[in-house]
Structure formats: C-alpha cells, structure tokens
Amino acid sequence: MSSQSTSLLPKGKENRPPVSNRHPTAPSVMTVNGHFANVGQKATKEQFEHGIQVINENQEFNPNLPNYLTFEKIAPAGFNYHLISVFGSQSTGKSTLLNHLFGTEFGVMSESDRRQTTKGIWMSRNKKQDAEIAKSMAENILVLDVEGTDGRERGEDQDFERKSALFALATSEVLIINIWEHQVGLYQGANMGLLKVVFEVNLELFLKNTRSNPRSLLFFVIRDHLGTTPLANLRNTLIQDLTRIWSGLSKPAGMEKSKIEDYFDFAFYALPHKILQPERFISEVNKLGLRFTEGHRDPRRDLFLSEQELEGGIFLPEYHRRIPADGFSIYAEGVWDQIVNNKDLDLPTQQELMAQFRCDEIAREVIIEFDETVIPFENKQVEGIRLGTPEVLGGLGAAMRTARMKAVKNFEIAASRYHKGVYGRKRTELENKIDSRLKVLFQGQLSAAHKSGVHAFSDAVSTAVKAGQKKGASYDFAEIVDREKKSALERYEKEAKSVLVEGAPWSNYNQQLSLYQKDLNEVSGKLRREEMRRLATRVERWVRSRLGDSVGIEFNALGSGRGGSGAPETGEMPNTENEIWDRIWTVFTRTVKDAERRFTDRARSFDASSAEVDVGLWRLRRKSWGVLRAKIEEEMMEGNLLLKLRENFEDKFRYDEAGVPRIWRPTDDIDGIYTKARESTLTLIPLLSRFKSVHSSSPPPLAEWIGDPPSNVTPADEEDLTPIGGVDEEEGKSLEEEMAILSESKRQDITVRFKKTADGVYVEAKRSAIGGITQVPLYFYGILLVLGWNEIVAVIRNPVYFLFLLILGAGAYITYTLNLWGPIIQMTNAASQQALEEGKKRLREFLESSDTGRQAIAMSGGHEDIQMQKLNSNGRTAPEKEEDYDDI
C-alpha cells in the first residue's frame, strides 16, 4: 500500500493545477491516503490526526484501530457514537462527498488521471470545522470510506466488493449510496448490482438468527442533479427497482414473504453539480450535514406517509449496533475474521463474542484492583494457618465489602453497555470468582474467631475459678460458665457480623455459630468434669483427714485395755476392743455419707447432671474405701501394732482395778496378773487380723454399699480406681481376701515378738518386787543414836541450832500438810536440769573456741534417744495433724 501511495503522490501533485487556479471545491490533498495510519505501519500522532486504514486491499485488519479510537477520545464514549459507510462505483466522488460533509481528508482521484484512489476501507472522525454546522451534527461520528465497485483494477473479481459490503452492513448504521442522476434507471450504472449484493448479504447475515432484526438506513445521495427530473420521481424509480431486485432474490426457507422494508429504511437527497454549481453544491452539502444527527421515528407521522422515506435526523436508536466504543475494534476485527474465512456470519454471535472479550478484559482489570486490597489479608491468613496460630484480622470485613462493591461497580460501569446476556453472565462469573475468594477469607476469619474464642473461654473460666478459690469463698461454677459463654458468643457474633458481605450467598454464619456453640458446650462440659474431679479430690482429702483422726482414735483406744474396769478376770475383751471393726465401719460410713452430701451440694453449683453426680458419688465411695484400707494398713504396720499391743498389755498389767499404778510387793500375784493381761492382749491379734462385725461374724456389706457402676461410666472414670475384692469380681479377688488385714505368718511373728516384749515387762516387775524386800535393821537405829548423841546434845543446847531445827521441822510439817513436796521436787529437778543444760552449753562454747576442743567434739560421736514413733503405710513417720477441709 505504501508503494502505491508513493507512486501516486508525485504523479498527482505534478498533474494538479496550482492553488490559485484550483477550483474552490477541489480537495487540498490528492493522494491515496498516504497521510493516514496505514495497515502494517507504526502509526504516528500526525497520522492519527487524519485517520486510519481499517482494512487494506490485501484484506488485512489494522491492529492499531483501538489506539486510534483512544486517540480520538471515542473509546470512552460508550454508545454515544455513530458509524457511516459510503458505497458507490469507483471514481464517482465518494471520498470528495465525505470530505465536504465531515471535513475529512480522504484521498481523491486525480483530476487529470482517472484511476483508483481508495483501496481497502478507511476511517476518519467527523472533523467539520464550521462551528454552527458541527454543533448541529451528532457527536462522535465515524466515517468509513469503502473501496469503490466496478473498478478496472479488480475487474471481474468481486470478492472484496462482497466482503467490504458485508463488513459495512454489519458495522454501520447508515450506508450512503453515492450515484449520479443519469445513472438512475440503469442496472449497472445505478449500482443495482452492488445493491443486490447488499441485499444478499443482508439475507446471509440474518439467515441463521432471527433473535434480532437490526435495521439499516440506505441513504441515496444523487449527485449532479439538474432539477429536470423531480427528486420524488427519482426516488420512486429507485424504490421500484429495489423492490423488484428484492423480489427476484432467492430467499432462504422461512423468509419467502419477507419485504425489503423489514430490513431497510430509505432516505434520498439530491446534490447539484459540483463543477458547474460549486457554491450551491457546498450549500446543499452543508444542509445535508444537518441531517446527521439523532432522530426518532414518529408512528403518527408514519401513518400518513405512503413512501418509505425517513425524514429529519437519520441516526435512529434501532440503527445502532449497540457495541460500546471501547469494544468496537474487537467487534470489527471479529466480524472481518469471520468474513475473510468464509464462515457464516452471525452478528448477534459476534456481538456476544466481542462482549465476552471485553467483559473478560474489564473483569481482569477490576480483579487487579481487587487483589491490591484482598491479597494482603489472604497472605496474613495463610501465614497464620501455616504457623498453626490463625489470627483474627482487624478491618477485614470493611475491606471485603469495599473491595467487592468497588469491583462489581466498576465492572458494571464499564461492561453493562455490552450484550446484556453476556454482561449478566460475566458479572455472575466475576461475582462468583470474587465471592469464592472472599468466602475463604470469611471462613478463615470465623475459624480463627472460633479457635481463639474457645481458647479465651477456657482461660476465662479457669481464671475465674482460681480467683474464687483464692478468695476462699464459695463460687458458683455454673454461673461462671454461663457468664463466660454468653460473653464468648457475643464476641463471636460481633466478629462474624463484621465480615458479612451484603448480597453474597455465603454471607451467613448460622452454621458456624452452631458449631461454635457446640464446641463451647463441649469445652464447658470438659471444664465441668475437671472441676468435678478437683471437687472429688478435695472431698477425698477431707475424707482422708476425717478418717485419719477417727480411725486413729479407735486404734489408739486399744492402748487402754482395761475398758474402764481394769484387766478382765476372764479371757474376754472389753467392748472397746471387741467391737472395734463395728465402730470403724460406723465411723467410715458416717464420714462418707457426710462427704457425699458435701459433694452433691457443691456439684449442683456446677450445673452437673444427675448422671455426672452419680458417677462422682460412685467414685467417691470407691476412693473412700481405698483411703480407709490405707489407714488401716498404716495403723496395722508391725511397729505400730506392737506398740499398741504393748500399751494394751501394760495398761492391763501395771494398773489395778481403780486405775491406780501397781507397786509390786513380794506378796502380789505377779504371775497370775501377768498371765491374764498377756492372754487378753493376745486375743487382739486374731481380732485385728480380719475386718468383720462382731455381731454377724461376717465382713461388712462392701459391694452393696459401693453399688453397681452407673450406666454412663466411661473408661476414663475407671482408669485411676484401685480394684476392690468382692466388688470387682473380674480382678479375681474375693471379699474375704479384701477384708484380710494380717496374714497367718505375720500373726505368728507379731505374737512371738509381743510375748518377748511382755516377758520383759514381767521381769522388770519381778525385780521391782524383789528390790522392795530389803529393810533397815532396828539395831541400826540404836547405833545411829549412840554415835550421834553428842551432836544431838550440841544442837539442843545451842539456841541458834535449836531454833533453826524448829524452823526446818515446822517448814517440813507445813509442806507435808499442804502436799507441796511434789511441786518442790519437780521445781528442783527442773532447775537442776536447766542448770545442767546451761552448763553443757557453756562447756561446748568453751570447747569450740579452741582447736583442741573442736577436734575432740569432732571425734566424739553423739547419740540420739531412740523412741518408738507412729509410722504410715510407706514406713515413714506419720504427720501429727492433717489439713482441715471444712471449706469444701
């Protein structure tokens, strides 16, 4: 194309007359549009100012068309633009007409050389400079200058003529048919062959699609009209010829009865001779330009018009192809591609394809802006999930709503001008794409709120419980749980509402709220069970403390073997010893019953179910039996039992019937008393070896007292329980075995050791009795009187001595009378003991102050007093006092 322009341009310039001799209507440019932006060239701003070649003679589409529309500021116009195409035979002045009508600069034929100047299809914007005329014309008019028909350059090849006609009809609102007056009535001269092609193309366009029937305006501009034949006659002739051509067309099935008026409107305008009447030609062209404005069909006027001619503004709404300006280049390229490839052209389908392309393009643009807002939140959420610490993102809800609304709004503004069906479908796709990503953020936010809320709820309940325990006051666990659960639900709902997006189908958190409530209930149940366990532990401690005291008292009573009436004359034991197991069982059941009452009352404040309380009581009874069994084993340890047996024996042996300590005399029946006391104490060993009632001679009803396991007991409730013989039969241990305290071998060992201990006490008593037999002889007093007579006389004769003797005698008598000898002796012993301790202390300090003394102290080994102490089940010294658990 550029080579042709180069060859024609010099020749045209050489043959043109100078400007001073040029006709006033002659164009200023005489080239083959070399000043336009051609196909295959990198367009410049200066070329865009003139126009652009849309399709070249080689049927190639210009990819710079979108840039041109943007340069001319038509792309943002939406539907506010109009497209006009001009048809006509070659060298009939089509380009000249357009240049005068719209101020364009299309190349025109050389005045001295009749040859083709327009090759392909060219486009330019309305550049009318006359302010008054331009103001009356419609905005954003685009003009297509189509290559002329019947040219000698193409000869018999009508392929491009047909394709260009098809392209113009598919894209243009108005088709200007440029003919001369003397051609009216002719077939070839009047371009009836071209019109037949147009009609055939029209049928081809709508052959396979009847959904829409866009109309087009055929605007006949009759050139060189002399006025001899009225325009009305010329119009009638042309309409008759057109109707006859239409009737002679071979129409497809279903369109046999179609009329030409179903597809086309007609308009006619006559222009005077350009050369002979130049001033009038320009004037009429200006008047013709005033018709290129928006118009509206008046149905009332059309009823009175017999001719099918449009008057007034020629841009009717039904002519517009409803292609937004920014999508026109895509639509035009798609149409031309279909035409060039000889495919059936379905205009609505092309419109949909163009709409799909543009809507996809617009969607990508709005998604980019959407990403700028959403991606930072997505990255934070993904990072939190990866680290296992999902975070509740602040400001997410507002960002989601703003991003979604802005994306949909921007898409609506830019894409709603395209095919409604495609727009609606693409908008749905965009919303689905946006919503799918926002849904992930929404669910992630709720998941984070769920996890943090459950954790916060658990921590809040635990903190409140600990605070109540520290205060020492009775706290209501159920009230704490209800208060914290209500607070947790309020926080969750507040967070969930903040990320709701109006209009989104997934914007509902009822299901997530139900799951959250379910988890809160599970956590509260778990916390309640843990609190029940802690309560059970406190109650068990209370039971252990009470049983330790009560059972200890019962076993300590064994040390008082007289039972208040001295050692029995027979081998039977007193009631305090004989009924020890009955008393222990009674104390045990009473203590556990009190503990059960405390447990039940406290568990009610936890809002625990009756089933949970039953399990707790069942566990408490089993645990309490374990506590009692451990206490009995502690008391029955070898050392403790021997101590109690010795105390029991000594109490029976050393004290008389009135509870007064015996002073053994040779005349006392030491052997008989010893035998009775020993035999009475020995009967304790078989009694203590088995836990049974003295009345029924059978073990207590342990299995009935503990009861069967509740139906809702779980393995976790049983895993820390010690098997009990007679209750847990699967353990293979009977109730008799459970109640056995001392084995046979242990009984024999204790018996032997006790006898040895009793024998030692007996030997001591015998020695005491024998030692009391020695008395002072009477003659010893006589000898004492004789030898001390002089001293006696000296005291009597000396008044001072005698007075001192009287004072001592009176003091001794008074002390004896007031029974003060005992306290005086005790005070004397205490004072002497304290003096001895103080002396030892001073002596030790003295020795430590010297090296020799320190060495002596280091070499000397001290000794500790050995005494029998009460031991626990682990062989350690038992504590003297347990905690008090009255606050349970």
Side-chain angles (χ1 to χ4, degrees), residues 199 240-251 256 258-260:
F199 295 155
Q240 290 173 6
D241 292 342
L242 293 173
T243 303
R244 183 173 59 255
I245 292 173
W246 181 268
S247 300
L249 293 176
S250 179
K251 303 178 184 63
E256 295 86 351
S258 62
K259 300 178 181 180
I260 191 173

Side-chain angles (χ1 to χ4, degrees), residues 643-830:
L643 179 62
K644 288 179 174 58
L645 292 175
R646 177 173 178 171
E647 290 176 351
N648 182 275
F649 168 75
E650 290 183 349
D651 189 70
K652 295 175 182 178
F653 180 67
R654 293 180 181 272
Y655 294 86
D656 60 14
E657 296 176 355
V660 178
R662 286 190 175 98
I663 298 176
W664 300 108
R665 298 181 178 86
T667 59
D668 292 337
D669 186 10
I670 298 177
D671 294 341
I673 296 174
Y674 163 74
T675 302
K676 291 179 182 179
R678 187 187 67 175
E679 295 302 323
S680 177
T681 302
L682 285 174
T683 58
L684 286 176
I685 297 176
L687 174 67
L688 296 176
S689 65
R690 188 171 302 277
F691 195 132
K692 63 181 179 178
S693 172
V694 70
H695 303 292
S696 61
S697 299
S698 61
L702 183 60
E704 293 79 4
W705 180 79
I706 292 178
D708 297 328
S711 58
N712 60 325
V713 170
T714 62
D717 295 325
E718 298 180 307
E719 63 182 3
D720 62 335
L721 297 178
T722 303
I724 300 175
V727 177
D728 302 317
E729 295 295 342
E730 65 275 7
E731 297 296 330
K733 189 177 180 181
S734 64
L735 182 61
E736 290 293 333
E737 293 174 323
E738 180 71 23
M739 296 302 171
I741 308 300
L742 296 176
S743 63
E744 186 63 28
S745 61
K746 203 167 190 178
R747 286 173 53 185
Q748 294 177 2
D749 181 62
I750 290 176
T751 300
V752 171
R753 296 181 65 180
F754 166 70
K755 286 182 179 180
K756 291 181 179 180
T757 303
D759 290 346
V761 175
Y762 170 75
V763 171
E764 183 183 352
K766 277 290 187 177
R767 288 176 178 173
S768 175
I770 294 173
I773 294 176
T774 304
Q775 296 181 356
V776 180
L778 294 177
Y779 63 85
F780 180 79
Y781 294 106
I783 295 173
L784 181 63
L785 178 63
V786 172
L787 294 176
W789 177 254
N790 294 330
E791 286 78 7
I792 296 173
V793 172
V795 170
I796 294 173
R797 289 181 177 180
N798 192 329
V800 176
Y801 288 158
F802 186 74
L803 181 61
F804 183 71
L805 180 63
L806 289 178
I807 293 172
L808 289 177
Y813 176 78
I814 294 172
T815 302
Y816 176 79
T817 303
L818 296 178
N819 200 18
L820 294 177
W821 283 113
I824 290 174
I825 294 173
Q826 291 179 356
M827 291 177 61
T828 303
N829 291 336

Side-chain angles (χ1 to χ4, degrees), residues 425-596:
R425 186 169 66 253
K426 291 298 180 180
R427 172 170 176 163
T428 302
E429 291 178 3
L430 175 65
E431 290 177 346
N432 291 340
K433 184 176 182 180
I434 291 175
D435 288 343
S436 64
R437 293 175 61 183
L438 295 183
K439 183 179 180 180
V440 173
L441 286 172
F442 175 78
Q443 293 176 341
Q445 185 82 336
L446 292 187
S447 177
H450 182 124
K451 186 173 182 179
S452 62
V454 170
H455 185 72
F457 168 74
S458 178
D459 290 346
V461 172
S462 300
T463 302
V465 169
K466 290 179 181 178
Q469 292 173 347
K470 288 182 179 179
K471 291 180 180 178
S474 178
Y475 58 91
D476 193 329
F477 181 79
E479 180 181 348
I480 292 174
V481 170
D482 291 341
R483 182 179 69 249
E484 297 301 333
K485 185 184 293 184
K486 181 179 179 181
S487 177
L489 288 173
E490 289 176 352
R491 289 195 301 270
Y492 183 84
E493 288 201 67
K494 179 181 179 182
E495 195 61 45
K497 289 178 180 178
S498 69
V499 291
L500 289 179
V501 178
E502 185 179 357
W506 45 264
S507 191
N508 185 295
Y509 61 90
N510 292 334
Q511 183 178 1
Q512 289 87 346
L513 180 61
S514 299
L515 292 175
Y516 183 65
Q517 290 176 327
K518 182 179 178 181
D519 282 358
L520 288 182
N521 292 335
E522 291 179 357
V523 171
S524 61
K526 179 181 177 182
L527 293 173
R528 184 175 63 251
R529 288 191 293 272
E530 291 177 354
E531 189 65 18
M532 292 278 287
R533 289 289 182 91
R534 286 193 287 269
L535 172 62
T537 301
R538 293 197 298 272
V539 174
E540 289 168 15
R541 290 177 184 170
W542 184 86
V543 170
R544 183 178 292 107
S545 174
R546 293 297 181 269
L547 288 180
D549 294 339
S550 302
V551 175
I553 290 173
E554 294 297 333
F555 275 100
N556 291 336
L558 292 176
S560 178
R562 303 181 314 281
S565 59
E569 295 298 330
T570 64
E572 297 181 358
M573 295 173 295
N575 291 334
T576 56
E577 298 173 357
N578 195 31
E579 298 179 350
I580 184 172
W581 292 123
D582 295 277
R583 292 195 305 275
I584 288 176
W585 178 256
T586 301
V587 169
F588 170 67
T589 54
R590 184 173 62 247
T591 302
V592 174
K593 186 176 181 180
D594 191 14
E596 288 180 349

Side-chain angles (χ1 to χ4, degrees), residues 85 87 161-173 175 195-218 246 249-252 255 258 262-264 319 321 331-332 334-340 342-351:
S85 299
F87 281 156
E161 294 179 9
R162 178 181 176 84
K163 291 179 178 179
S164 61
L166 186 57
F167 178 78
L169 191 59
T171 57
S172 304
E173 302 173 47
L175 285 79
L195 294 177
K196 183 178 181 181
V197 172
V198 172
F199 295 155
E200 289 175 348
V201 166
N202 187 77
L203 291 176
E204 182 178 346
L205 282 174
F206 303 103
L207 174 62
K208 295 185 179 181
N209 192 298
T210 58
R211 290 176 296 173
S212 60
N213 188 9
R215 302 176 66 83
S216 298
L217 175 64
L218 296 182
W246 181 268
L249 293 176
S250 179
K251 303 178 184 63
M255 306 180 74
S258 62
D262 296 334
Y263 298 95
F264 297 100
Y319 298 158
R321 296 297 184 258
Y331 171 74
V335 169
W336 183 249
D337 181 69
Q338 295 287 312
I339 293 172
V340 170
N342 295 320
K343 298 179 181 179
D344 292 333
L345 183 60
D346 184 359
L347 285 186
T349 301
Q350 288 300 315
Q351 293 177 5

